[in-house]
């Protein structure tokens, strides 16, 4: 199913779709060569925004939840991708330790865990759950909506290895994004593979580093296709070390907002886009939708100062200096049942394994949809297992549209691999 597009089906998105389909052999070869040089994240999800005049990722998550929202028909793809990923990392793997978030009262998240357990069990692994929550001192049942249950067990650290009672895994998979920092339990593990690596957690990771890497990837890809990389890249700048309670901090934020807005307006004029440019202010670390604000004029920043501070505190940020990213706002012109929607693409290793539409009836096209009240439509990728249909009219085929989304999502995933290489504290060159 392709949702309704407000934008007429005669714009740059259709031109981009056609160009991507016509260039499919070159694109797939390009990705193949990139993956010979770079290691993909173990798993990831990318939020994509289709404005009708540009298509760009606005967030890349390296600890994705929401596997329960994928179409069950797509799970065999995830199992195959999991097998490929595990074979590369630890071919003799028998035991997998899955470490979830600390929350225990979220049935949706627990169903996500059950889906991950199912995927890796079918990939040939013994899967058990270990908790970072120190209050878990004995095996604890996590009831699931279908009447079944998962068992959460206390972690045991022994001679530099992490495991459970009578369970010594060679691979540890984190599904906790480490926003609160890196627990000592996870540091300096001996001969165990920890996925994703610790520096992928939000305690260390920054969106500005990711989108710098994404811009590099987008430029390479755009050169391959002979197009303007702006059509797939959201302009982004960082603002750090400023106290938003001070005039200097507000002024620094205003300067960067105006920079993004002015560049965006120039691009709109170049492409004849009759839209009002806007910018999005986000925390530079973390995945908190409540911390995102939309602005259409740099003058609005002064009035928003208190709201920004309050929203950042809601996301766990303290008082004082803030790290922010100001990003070109990419509106979404997709609708599911008249509600604003955006595709979210899920990947494991280097493979697209499915996705869904995040839908929010109470949000506008220029707002973040990653907020309380969002719903999910897993049918969105129901036909994505079919091969793209070359020669069809752009916008007319679900497989073609979703192939394009998958390409953009893979660019985000590739950017994450660039990012993790550059920020790896054990790499020879640290930046």
């Amino acid at each position: 199913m392709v949702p309704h597009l407000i934008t007429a089906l005669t714009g740059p998105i259709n031109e981009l779709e056609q160009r991507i389909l016509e260039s499919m052999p070159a694109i797939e070869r390009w990705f193949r060569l990139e993956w010979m040089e770079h290691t993909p994240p173990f798993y990831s999800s990318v939020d994509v925004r289709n404005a009708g005049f540009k298509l760009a990722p606005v967030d890349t998550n390296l600890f994705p939840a929401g596997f329960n929202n994928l179409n069950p028909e797509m799970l065999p793809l995830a199992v195959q991708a999991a097998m490929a990923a595990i074979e590369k990392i630890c071919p003799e793997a028998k035991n997998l330790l899955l470490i979830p978030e600390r929350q225990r009262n979220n049935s949706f998240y627990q169903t996500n865990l059950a889906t991950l357990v199912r995927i890796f069990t079918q990939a040939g692994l013994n899967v058990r759950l270990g908790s970072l929550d120190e209050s878990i001192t004995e095996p604890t049942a996590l009831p699931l909506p279908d009447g079944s249950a998962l068992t959460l067990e206390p972690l045991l650290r022994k001679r530099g290895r992490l495991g459970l009672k009578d369970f010594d895994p060679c691979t540890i998979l984190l599904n906790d994004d480490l926003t609160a920092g890196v627990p000592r339990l996870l540091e300096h593990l001996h001969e165990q593979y920890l996925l994703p690596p610790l520096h992928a957690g939000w305690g260390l990771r920054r969106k500005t580093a990711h989108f710098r890497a994404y811009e590099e990837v987008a430029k390479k890809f755009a050169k391959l296709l002979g197009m303007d990389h702006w059509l797939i890249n959201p302009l982004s700048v960082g603002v750090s070390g400023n106290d938003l309670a001070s005039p200097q901090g507000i002024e620094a934020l205003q300067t960067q907002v105006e920079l993004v807005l002015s560049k965006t307006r120039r691009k709109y004029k170049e492409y004849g886009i009759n839209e009002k440019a806007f910018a999005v202010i986000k925390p530079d670390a973390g995945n908190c939708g409540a911390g995102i604000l939309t602005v259409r004029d740099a003058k609005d920043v002064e009035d928003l100062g208190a709201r920004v501070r309050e929203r950042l505190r809601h996301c766990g940020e303290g008082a004082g200096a803030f790290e922010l990213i100001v990003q070109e706002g990419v509106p979404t012109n997709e609708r599911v049942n008249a509600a604003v929607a955006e595709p979210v693409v899920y990947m494991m290793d280097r493979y697209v394994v499915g996705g869904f539409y995040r839908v929010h009836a109470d949000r506008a096209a220029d707002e973040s949809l990653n907020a309380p009240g969002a719903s999910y439509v897993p049918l969105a990728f129901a036909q994505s297992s079919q091969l793209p249909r070359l020669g069809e009219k752009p916008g007319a085929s679900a497989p073609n549209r979703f192939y394009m989304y998958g390409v953009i999502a893979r660019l985000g995933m590739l950017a994450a691999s660039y990012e993790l290489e550059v920020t790896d504290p054990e790499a020879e060159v640290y930046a």
Side-chain angles (χ1 to χ4, degrees):
M1 122 184 174
V2 176
H4 175 62
L5 294 180
I6 299 299
T7 303
L9 294 176
T10 55
I13 286 300
N14 275 11
E15 295 171 14
L16 177 61
E17 179 181 314
Q18 186 168 358
R19 185 169 296 191
I20 284 176
L21 290 170
E22 290 173 348
S23 306
M24 188 187 303
I27 289 171
E28 296 305 324
R29 179 178 182 273
W30 182 81
F31 273 122
R32 189 166 63 249
L33 294 176
E34 286 289 329
W35 294 131
M36 290 175 66
E37 299 291 333
H38 306 281
T39 301
F42 186 80
Y43 58 1
S44 57
S45 67
V46 175
D47 297 355
V48 179
R49 303 276 284 205
N50 181 356
F53 54 83
K54 76 181 294 179
L55 181 72
V58 293
D59 194 29
T60 299
N61 187 359
L62 300 182
F63 300 83
F67 279 89
N68 53 303
N69 294 317
L70 302 184
N71 191 312
E73 294 179 7
M74 305 300 290
L75 290 183
L77 291 179
V79 171
Q80 291 173 352
M83 287 179 176
I86 291 293
E87 285 171 7
K88 286 196 304 187
I89 295 162
C90 184
E92 70 278 9
K94 179 173 68 174
N95 296 331
L96 176 74
L97 175 61
L98 176 57
I99 300 180
E101 295 178 3
R102 291 171 175 83
Q103 57 177 309
R104 280 185 280 155
N105 298 312
N106 186 327
S107 61
F108 294 103
Y109 179 71
Q110 287 160 207
T111 307
N112 159 70
L113 292 179
T115 305
L116 284 172
V117 169
R118 179 183 173 191
I119 289 169
F120 289 105
T121 299
Q122 293 186 12
L125 297 166
N126 300 316
V127 185
R128 287 167 65 176
L129 304 181
S131 178
L132 290 168
D133 186 344
E134 294 179 357
S135 68
I136 299 291
T137 57
E138 60 184 34
T140 303
L142 290 179
L144 297 170
D146 64 2
S148 63
L150 297 171
T151 300
L152 197 58
E153 301 179 65
L155 291 168
L156 297 176
R157 176 84 183 233
K158 192 174 183 180
R159 291 193 294 273
R161 291 179 70 86
L162 189 65
L164 308 173
K165 184 180 180 181
D166 302 321
F167 189 76
D168 184 28
C170 88
T171 305
I172 300 166
L173 179 62
L174 284 172
N175 200 236
D176 181 318
D177 63 13
L178 304 180
T179 299
V182 177
R184 292 184 64 184
L185 270 177
L186 300 179
E187 295 181 329
H188 310 299
L189 296 176
H190 180 62
E191 294 183 353
Q192 286 179 305
Y193 296 95
L194 181 66
L195 306 167
L198 293 178
H199 66 285
W202 283 123
L204 299 171
R205 187 180 177 223
R206 295 295 179 266
K207 289 184 172 70
T208 44
H210 175 73
F211 282 102
R212 276 198 302 271
Y214 181 79
E215 183 173 22
E216 180 183 350
V217 168
K219 285 180 177 178
K220 287 183 178 180
F221 183 79
K223 184 177 180 181
L224 176 72
L225 267 64
M227 55 180 271
D228 182 354
H229 78 280
W230 177 78
L231 294 171
I232 56 171
N233 178 54
L235 302 168
S236 306
V237 295
V239 186
S240 63
N242 294 288
D243 184 351
L244 294 181
S246 71
Q248 294 83 0
I250 293 295
E251 184 177 350
L253 182 56
Q254 281 180 317
T255 299
Q256 298 306 319
V257 168
E258 181 54 41
L259 175 67
V260 169
L261 287 174
S262 61
K263 286 185 175 180
T264 304
R265 291 177 188 128
R266 284 199 294 271
K267 280 296 182 182
Y268 279 17
K269 185 176 181 181
E270 177 184 342
Y271 282 93
I273 297 166
N274 188 26
E275 299 273 351
K276 187 171 176 60
F278 67 97
V280 177
I281 302 170
K282 313 178 188 179
D284 200 16
N287 200 28
C288 178
I292 299 174
L293 280 171
T294 298
V295 292
R296 294 186 175 278
D297 193 305
K299 296 177 183 176
D300 297 337
V301 171
E302 189 169 356
D303 296 332
L304 291 175
R307 286 177 60 196
V308 172
R309 293 196 300 274
E310 181 59 33
R311 290 198 180 192
L312 289 175
R313 289 192 182 98
H314 181 77
C315 292
E317 297 275 358
F322 293 113
E323 292 181 272
L324 301 171
I325 181 171
V326 179
Q327 195 167 67
E328 172 194 353
V330 182
T332 179
N333 279 321
E334 306 200 34
R335 301 291 185 273
V336 172
N337 296 329
V340 176
E342 66 186 7
V344 184
V345 181
Y346 274 59
M347 290 154 290
M348 194 169 290
D349 194 60
R350 56 181 177 154
Y351 306 103
V352 173
V353 298
F356 51 80
Y357 270 87
R358 181 185 287 121
V359 184
H360 207 303
D362 298 323
R363 290 290 175 114
D366 61 355
E367 294 182 296
S368 169
L369 307 188
N370 185 15
S375 59
Y376 304 92
V377 181
L379 296 177
F381 282 73
Q383 299 182 63
S384 62
S385 59
Q386 298 177 18
L387 294 175
R389 301 168 183 170
L390 302 181
E392 285 201 1
K393 179 182 177 182
S397 166
N400 288 358
R401 180 56 51 94
F402 293 132
Y403 175 74
M404 178 173 67
Y405 291 163
V407 167
I408 299 301
R410 283 186 286 164
L411 294 177
M413 174 173 58
L414 179 58
S417 71
Y418 280 33
E419 169 199 355
L420 293 178
E421 289 167 6
V422 170
T423 58
D424 185 352
E426 297 182 5
E428 292 184 8
V429 178
Y430 180 75

